[in-house]
Amino acid sequence: MPHACELPAELTIYTIGEFYPECVNWVTAPTDEHDDGCLRVAAGSVAEVDAAGVQLLLSLLNSLQRQHRRLTLVDPSQALMSAVKTLGACSLMRDADLKGVAL
């Protein structure tokens, strides 16, 4: 099942409360036999991210892993990758597929 998922431009403590229900929908959406178990999330538009935003992504990754699924962040923005590195979350994000980005 193709997923049309995209992270918002602002992924901060001020916005994740509004965005969290969408993440829950992504994780709980039914899958079918054509689903490869990978949730693909466009991450290129993230311009502002803080520790709460990275924590939300780690929670999303963890929830998917419990379902034996994967997370792919497609074209993650420099702001997002910088926040992950600054917060020391690189090792935690290694289980996510970061299309074209090395941690």
Side-chain angles (χ1 to χ4, degrees):
M1 169 191 289
H3 296 278
C5 307
E6 184 174 359
L7 296 178
E10 185 178 341
L11 195 58
T12 68
I13 193 167
Y14 303 109
T15 61
I16 62 169
E18 297 168 10
F19 182 62
Y20 176 76
E22 191 168 345
C23 290
V24 170
N25 288 337
W26 295 345
V27 171
T28 60
T31 59
D32 62 29
E33 68 271 7
H34 303 294
D35 189 348
D36 64 358
C38 183
L39 176 67
R40 290 166 185 82
V41 179
S45 65
V46 177
E48 191 174 342
V49 60
D50 64 9
V54 172
Q55 184 178 8
L56 179 65
L57 289 178
L58 292 171
S59 176
L60 178 61
L61 175 62
N62 189 33
S63 295
L64 290 167
Q65 286 176 331
R66 283 194 303 260
Q67 297 176 6
H68 306 286
R69 295 175 65 197
R70 297 181 324 276
L71 172 64
T72 296
L73 295 178
V74 180
D75 298 323
S77 70
Q78 183 61 39
L80 178 58
M81 296 314 303
S82 178
V84 168
K85 289 176 185 175
T86 298
L87 294 167
C90 293
S91 64
L92 298 172
M93 290 296 291
R94 288 204 191 281
D95 289 333
D97 183 4
L98 305 170
K99 288 290 184 194
V101 176
L103 287 177

